[in-house]
Amino acid sequence: MNVLLMNCSPVRDGATAEIIHTVHSFLGMACKVRSICIDDYDIKFCKGCRSCHKTARCVQDDDMIKIMAEFAWADTIVCVSPSYWADVPGQFKAFIDRCTPWCNTHEPHAVIGGAVNIGRKTGYTIALRTGPNMKECKRIIESIEHFYGHLEIQPGGSLGLCSVEYKEAVEARKDEIRDFCRKILQG
């Protein structure tokens, strides 16, 4: 199984990155795993021109194709997102907006990895936040699962982690994260 881990945070070495590292270490024993960070890519904002609704391509030239090549490689995608004002970070939201060429709500639309892959990819979500209320984690999970649905990636499960502000807090949550990884392996 090819697994893509996506750090949806612009912080390359914080709590989200520590969770990515934990998941990578566990899943890497049984799978081919790649990790990417949203902040390592140049992603322009969607212009709302709707050209992609007619052409299945964006008029802009940036790193979107590089990220979508990683999505095409993966059988399983795990997005790990912190809460920024009760939702995904703006950098990740800009990425989601730019995925419109692959969105199944218009024809023609591009398909990640070609037509043979429709519905064959599974997406998992890990949401984290600094406060104790799970409601924000659920909102992030819903946003990402909605995104998966429009790309015909089947949601496979989610994990919400509250009271995680700094990477040091991840240590106490590693058993939960490993249990979630076992679910990913079971598919």
Side-chain angles (χ1 to χ4, degrees), residues 46 50-58 64 68 71 93 95-113 118-119 143-153:
C46 177
R50 298 185 185 210
S51 291
C52 62
H53 287 217
K54 297 175 186 139
T55 65
R57 296 180 57 126
C58 185
M64 280 299 296
M68 296 317 286
F71 271 59
K93 177 61 168 85
F95 165 73
I96 290 172
D97 290 346
R98 288 293 307 290
C99 284
T100 302
W102 293 269
C103 181
N104 65 4
T105 58
H106 58 82
E107 291 296 339
H109 71 274
V111 176
I112 300 169
I118 293 176
S143 291
I144 294 173
E145 287 183 349
H146 181 85
F147 159 69
Y148 285 155
H150 282 297
L151 298 184
E152 299 186 32
I153 298 169

Side-chain angles (χ1 to χ4, degrees), residues 112-133:
I112 300 169
V116 80
N117 285 314
I118 293 176
R120 293 189 179 197
K121 296 184 182 293
T122 306
Y124 293 86
T125 307
I126 300 175
L128 63 142
R129 68 175 306 255
T130 60
N133 187 336

